[in-house]
Amino acid sequence: MRNFTIGAPYSKSKVTAGSLDVHPTEKALVVHYEVEASILGEGGGHVLGERKEGQKIIRVKSLSPSTDVAALAKKVVEECKLIPSSRLPQVEHLLYYLQNRKSSPVEDKLEKKEKRTAKPRELTPFDGMELNEEAIITQVDDYIELLYEGIPEKIRGAALILQLARNPDNLEELLHNEATLGALARVLREDWKQSVELATIIIYVFFCFSSFSQFHGVVSSYKIGALCMSVVEHELKRHDVWCEELRKKSKSAPENGTLRRDQDKALKKYQGLLAKQEQLLRVSLYLLLNLAEDTRTELKMRNKNIVGLLVKVLERDDEELLVLVVSFLKKLSIFLENKNDMAEVDTVERLARLVPCEHEDLLNLTLRLLLNLSFDSGLRAKMVEVGLLPKLTALLGDENNRQVALRILYHISIDDRFKGMFVYTDCIPQLMQSLYEHSEQETEAELISILINLAANKKNAQLMCEGNGLKMLMKRALKMKDCLLMKMIRNISQHDGATKPLYIDYVGDLAAEIRAEEEEEWVLECLGTLANLTIPDLDWELVLKEYNLVPYLKDRLKPGSAEDDLILEVVIMIGTVSIDDACAAMLAKSGIIPALIELLNAQQEDDEFVCQIVYVFYQMVFHQATRDVIIKDTQAPAYLIDLMHDKNTEIRKVCDNTLDIIAEYDEEWGRKIQSEKFRFHNNQWLEMVESRQADESEPYLYENDNDTADLFYSADGITPAEGSVSPDFFNDLQQQNGDFYHTG
């Protein structure tokens, strides 16, 4: 007891009613109040004062499901002088809550613990509170009044309104009461930093509205989306501060002693704060996700760095929060600008830790987000860099995620930089095994597509052919006439080394498929495979005769006779078989060379066609029989001369090599080729001279006369400066006594 000063004339006390709540374990109401005692001096002035808080428990053990709650509430108010009559509706609602409250074994255990503290619990919207909504909805105005009091009362009022909002049938009525949403929005703007619990409850109310598109305009009118963005950004910064403080305490705390206990205490406090914060983040981000249905609203979020905030949250461990964040990022990733934003931050690195994970929904969403990102070559490279390739391979056995994993692997297999890395995983054996297991069924498009891409790598191709790999592939492809499978076989056939000789046993089977009756796509793949078989010991003449392929090849050289891809493969096939001397002679006699020249005229703008046709000429001039036909009976050399200065480097290279061989064996064409080379180089020199003379800033082309001498000499002798005399003129010059004279 406090000892008061002797001689004080009198004292004064004042009792103020506080908040009402329910007892955590008993059927009772808890009335909070405050007593203010003052000592007054002789003149009535304040000398000394003291404030003290207290609580009164009003037990209502007779409360049962059949009790008349309204009558009981009236009786409580009449008998308890601490409760003003104006709070009768609130007492009635609390009694309704007590009447309908249910408890679980876990709650009973917690209630026993709380009973020892004799402290009333704080209500949150996640306590499973059951209320009589018909009674509550008539008293919304009373709940709004609570929003104008202290933080505990605001939490209580917001929680009661939330119980109404969680029932979709009540949203229209709440919407008609404009004061309700306006008061909630005001409290959120003013007090969200003061109480995480209060902010969570109010945002949850607006989240209930955001779940329906027709209410998005209402939510946006109160700027709730912008507030949620601010809340998320602020909470993430707070989390960084907490982590930094924990790190400092962990670094400075010794292995034992008081500091270690302080650190453990700080860690428990952090975990409690983290749980509340993640609840706030979850409801805020859910609301934003709902509002992002409108692309204009989504654009506003992007301008406020929504991608950066979401990627930051990926550091958390709460699976439900991660499901929400990954879902949000997946939705955003379909737009190029958002995908680019994700590429600028560590999105793939933070997603990689979620693959694999035990939460099935989270894993599936993460894979689908990675699939969207894998369309970007830079992000594909990042996926390989962070080690996702073996992780994705391991998911091929998971039926729930197999298809998504296959599609991501397909995108990675497109890039030549990463094809070789598949050798160091279990991907190819698994894919081949899947292919064999579905031998009688249609092949999965993703499965065969990956194998087609990977077969373009030599090491992968060797791995595919191990054991009876090629035999199984060829057997199935020929049986099913599977074009995609034959495309894979064709890609394998392009590699030199140990794999190519394996095809000798199947040359006849492939040649038998080259028929006009077959589908062009199927013939294209079979023909392309044969065209890749540059095997020295293969008797192509026998193959062409036995399967009567020459008429088919010649017929397909006609422009428009088939699709360009098939015609091109025919040209490549002719180039391959022309390596054989006898086969080249047979083709030349059949009239294929004029057909090639006609095709060259028709496809002169297509560099691939031109290069392959010139290569056929190159192969044929190696053999005496075909060389004479090309030089004497066709205009092929003239076309080659026209192409020797083509813009395409590969075409120029093949033309030069072919013309060099022709010039070596035929003097007449040799002079023509030399003349053309001379004319071309001379024209280039003249253009250079004219361009230098036209430069006004350089009045004199040469500093002295001696500099001009070398310009008039070629490797073959004296060259006239004007280029008007052909090399034939010099061929007729004869030397006598050290001078030249003209024989004509």
Side-chain angles (χ1 to χ4, degrees):
M1 293 288 292
R2 181 184 293 275
N3 295 320
F4 298 112
T5 305
I6 298 175
Y10 60 93
S11 64
K12 181 181 179 181
S13 62
K14 179 182 178 182
V15 179
T16 304
S19 62
L20 290 174
D21 207 333
V22 295
H23 195 280
T25 60
E26 300 181 20
K27 289 182 179 180
L29 299 178
V30 180
V31 183
H32 298 272
Y33 62 92
E34 184 181 78
V35 179
E36 181 179 1
S38 301
I39 304 298
L40 303 181
E42 293 180 355
H46 182 80
V47 176
L48 187 65
E50 183 179 29
R51 291 174 181 268
K52 184 177 182 181
E53 294 182 352
Q55 64 182 27
K56 180 178 179 63
I57 299 177
I58 303 173
R59 292 178 173 81
V60 284
K61 295 183 179 180
S62 62
L63 183 65
S64 66
S66 60
T67 301
D68 185 346
V69 174
L72 181 60
K74 186 176 181 180
K75 183 178 180 180
V76 169
V77 172
E78 288 176 353
E79 294 184 359
C80 182
K81 302 303 181 182
L82 293 174
I83 304 176
S85 59
S86 61
R87 291 200 174 185
L88 177 61
Q90 186 178 358
V91 174
E92 185 176 343
H93 300 323
L94 293 176
L95 290 175
Y96 268 120
Y97 170 70
L98 285 173
Q99 189 180 44
N100 294 280
R101 182 171 67 180
K102 297 177 181 179
S103 61
S104 65
V106 176
E107 289 174 337
D108 290 339
K109 185 176 180 180
L110 291 174
E111 287 173 355
K112 290 179 182 178
K113 181 178 179 181
E114 291 175 353
K115 188 175 181 180
R116 293 194 295 269
T117 64
K119 183 179 180 181
R121 68 171 188 166
E122 293 183 354
L123 180 66
T124 71
F126 311 100
D127 290 333
M129 183 171 63
E130 298 181 7
L131 300 176
N132 187 319
E133 293 176 357
E134 291 183 1
I136 293 178
I137 202 148
T138 61
Q139 302 294 334
V140 173
D141 292 339
D142 293 335
Y143 305 152
I144 296 175
E145 291 180 6
L146 295 174
L147 299 178
Y148 292 90
E149 298 184 16
I151 295 297
E153 289 76 16
K154 290 177 179 178
I155 293 175
R156 161 64 62 179
L160 291 170
I161 295 173
L162 174 60
Q163 298 311 306
L164 296 175
R166 292 175 72 172
N167 185 345
D169 296 335
N170 297 331
L171 294 179
E172 287 285 354
E173 294 191 43
L174 287 174
L175 186 62
H176 292 156
N177 191 330
E178 297 180 1
T180 305
L181 297 183
L184 289 171
R186 177 189 59 79
V187 173
L188 181 61
R189 282 194 301 271
E190 296 175 357
D191 298 331
W192 67 267
K193 290 185 180 180
Q194 298 183 32
S195 172
V196 171
E197 186 178 6
L198 178 61
T200 303
I201 295 173
I202 296 178
I203 293 175
Y204 201 150
V205 173
F206 284 102
F207 162 73
C208 294
F209 283 91
S210 72
S211 300
F212 300 91
S213 300
Q214 60 265 37
F215 297 135
H216 284 186
V218 177
V219 178
S220 299
S221 67
Y222 290 105
K223 309 294 183 183
I224 301 302
L227 271 173
C228 287
M229 291 287 293
S230 300
V231 168
V232 172
E233 184 176 6
H234 176 76
E235 292 301 324
L236 292 178
K237 290 179 180 178
R238 286 182 63 194
H239 181 262
D240 291 340
V241 173
W242 296 344
C243 292
E244 181 62 21
E245 290 176 354
L246 276 178
R247 187 189 64 80
K248 290 180 179 178
K249 288 185 179 181
S250 177
K251 187 176 181 181
S252 60
E255 292 299 325
N256 50 36
T258 305
L259 291 178
R260 171 59 65 182
R261 289 193 294 272
D262 290 344
Q263 182 192 1
D264 295 340
K265 185 177 179 180
L267 180 59
K268 291 180 180 179
K269 180 181 178 181
Y270 162 76
Q271 291 172 344
L273 293 172
L274 184 64
K276 290 185 177 181
Q277 186 188 70
E278 290 184 341
Q279 195 175 47
L280 175 58
L281 290 175
R282 188 162 66 247
V283 70
S284 299
L285 292 175
Y286 260 126
L287 185 145
L288 291 172
L289 177 59
N290 288 344
L291 295 181
E293 290 179 4
D294 187 339
T295 54
R296 293 171 298 180
T297 304
E298 183 179 310
L299 179 60
K300 293 178 182 178
M301 294 180 190
R302 176 182 178 265
N303 293 336
K304 292 189 176 184
N305 192 32
I306 184 65
V307 170
L309 296 177
L310 291 171
V311 173
K312 181 73 174 175
V313 181
L314 286 176
E315 298 174 348
R316 304 300 180 97
D317 295 322
D318 184 271
E319 291 181 336
E320 294 302 322
L321 179 60
L322 289 172
V323 166
L324 167 62
V325 171
V326 175
S327 299
F328 206 154
L329 287 171
K330 176 177 169 291
K331 179 187 183 303
L332 295 173
S333 67
I334 64 177
F335 292 100
L336 177 64
E337 295 80 4
N338 296 329
K339 184 268 297 179
N340 292 338
D341 289 344
M342 294 178 199
E344 293 177 1
V345 291
D346 298 332
T347 308
V348 172
E349 291 87 337
R350 295 181 182 181
L351 290 174
R353 75 182 185 91
L354 303 178
V355 180
C357 67
E358 295 181 359
H359 196 289
E360 189 63 31
D361 292 338
L362 178 57
L363 176 58
N364 189 262
L365 283 168
T366 302
L367 291 174
R368 292 185 180 279
L369 172 55
L370 288 170
L371 175 61
N372 288 356
L373 298 179
S374 66
F375 285 88
D376 183 281
S377 60
L379 291 173
R380 287 200 299 271
K382 186 65 69 175
M383 291 177 193
V384 175
E385 181 182 327
V386 299
L388 273 174
L389 190 55
K391 291 183 177 182
L392 292 168
T393 299
L395 291 173
L396 293 177
D398 182 354
E399 288 301 322
N400 294 329
N401 299 297
R402 173 185 170 83
Q403 288 299 319
V404 186
L406 276 174
R407 290 169 184 171
I408 301 173
L409 289 170
Y410 167 72
H411 284 166
I412 295 175
S413 71
I414 292 173
D415 200 319
D416 290 337
R417 295 175 295 171
F418 311 128
K419 286 183 171 69
M421 301 187 70
F422 282 80
V423 177
Y424 307 104
T425 70
D426 194 39
C427 184
I428 293 176
Q430 285 197 57
L431 296 178
M432 294 294 289
Q433 183 63 33
S434 298
L435 197 63
Y436 300 149
E437 290 174 354
H438 298 83
S439 58
E440 299 299 326
Q441 304 173 11
E442 185 176 353
T443 309
E444 292 177 275
E446 293 85 0
L447 171 63
I448 190 61
S449 298
I450 297 174
L451 289 170
I452 289 171
N453 289 343
L454 296 182
N457 177 272
K458 186 175 182 178
K459 291 183 178 180
N460 291 337
Q462 292 173 348
L463 188 59
M464 293 172 184
C465 293
E466 284 186 355
N468 293 323
L470 182 60
K471 180 180 179 180
M472 297 292 292
L473 291 173
M474 192 69 72
K475 180 179 178 181
R476 177 175 178 179
L478 293 171
K479 179 180 179 181
M480 307 289 293
K481 292 192 182 296
D482 190 327
C483 295
L484 291 177
L485 196 55
M486 186 56 72
K487 186 183 290 290
M488 174 187 171
I489 295 171
R490 174 184 171 187
N491 279 358
I492 297 174
S493 69
Q494 68 183 314
H495 304 292
D496 294 326
T499 56
K500 191 165 286 190
L502 299 176
Y503 282 81
I504 292 180
D505 295 336
Y506 309 105
V507 170
D509 295 326
L510 292 169
E513 300 297 324
I514 314 300
R515 302 191 304 269
E517 299 80 25
E518 297 290 347
E519 291 288 336
E520 279 194 8
E521 185 179 2
W522 171 249
V523 174
L524 171 66
E525 302 304 334
C526 295
L527 192 61
T529 305
L530 285 173
N532 287 333
L533 302 183
T534 52
I535 305 173
D537 299 333
L538 189 55
D539 188 347
W540 281 113
E541 182 185 15
L542 179 61
V543 174
L544 295 182
K545 287 181 178 179
E546 183 174 350
Y547 296 96
N548 196 29
L549 293 182
V550 175
Y552 178 88
L553 297 177
K554 183 179 178 181
D555 186 58
R556 285 293 179 269
L557 287 177
K558 297 177 183 177
S561 61
E563 293 291 333
D564 284 352
D565 287 344
L566 180 57
I567 298 175
L568 180 61
E569 285 304 324
V570 169
V571 175
I572 296 173
M573 178 68 177
I574 293 172
T576 299
V577 300
S578 295
I579 298 174
D580 185 293
D581 191 355
C583 190
M586 182 174 63
L587 290 173
K589 292 177 182 178
S590 69
I592 271 185
I593 296 176
L596 287 170
I597 294 175
E598 182 183 355
L599 181 61
L600 180 62
N601 284 328
Q603 300 286 353
Q604 56 185 322
E605 299 299 326
D606 190 319
D607 285 355
E608 183 67 21
F609 264 102
V610 173
C611 191
Q612 294 297 342
I613 293 172
V614 172
Y615 178 74
V616 173
F617 294 155
Y618 173 74
Q619 289 291 350
M620 287 190 170
V621 296
F622 272 107
H623 311 299
Q624 180 63 43
T626 52
R627 186 189 310 125
D628 292 341
V629 173
I630 288 178
I631 294 175
K632 297 178 181 179
D633 300 339
T634 72
Q635 291 298 313
Y639 281 96
L640 293 173
I641 290 174
D642 289 339
L643 293 169
M644 63 189 293
H645 308 306
D646 193 89
K647 294 180 180 179
N648 188 293
T649 305
E650 291 300 320
I651 293 176
R652 290 202 308 270
K653 182 178 179 181
V654 179
C655 278
D656 287 342
N657 293 337
T658 308
L659 290 172
D660 287 344
I661 297 173
I662 293 174
E664 183 178 351
Y665 286 95
D666 188 280
E667 294 183 1
E668 183 180 354
W669 276 112
R671 288 196 300 271
K672 292 179 180 179
I673 294 168
Q674 182 184 16
S675 175
E676 175 58 27
K677 289 183 177 180
F678 162 78
R679 185 193 63 78
F680 177 74
H681 291 296
N682 195 42
N683 286 342
Q684 283 188 316
W685 180 84
L686 289 175
E687 290 175 2
M688 179 192 71
V689 172
E690 290 173 359
S691 64
R692 296 187 64 179
Q693 288 176 340
D695 190 353
E696 295 180 357
S697 63
E698 193 174 0
Y700 300 103
L701 186 61
Y702 308 108
E703 294 181 0
N704 55 67
D705 292 342
N706 294 332
D707 293 336
T708 66
D710 292 339
L711 294 175
F712 293 95
Y713 286 86
S714 69
D716 299 323
I718 300 174
T719 304
E722 299 179 0
S724 58
V725 181
S726 73
D728 294 336
F729 172 84
F730 298 103
N731 292 334
D732 294 334
L733 289 176
Q734 301 294 330
Q735 190 175 24
Q736 182 177 357
N737 299 326
D739 297 322
F740 287 97
Y741 68 93
H742 199 276
T743 57

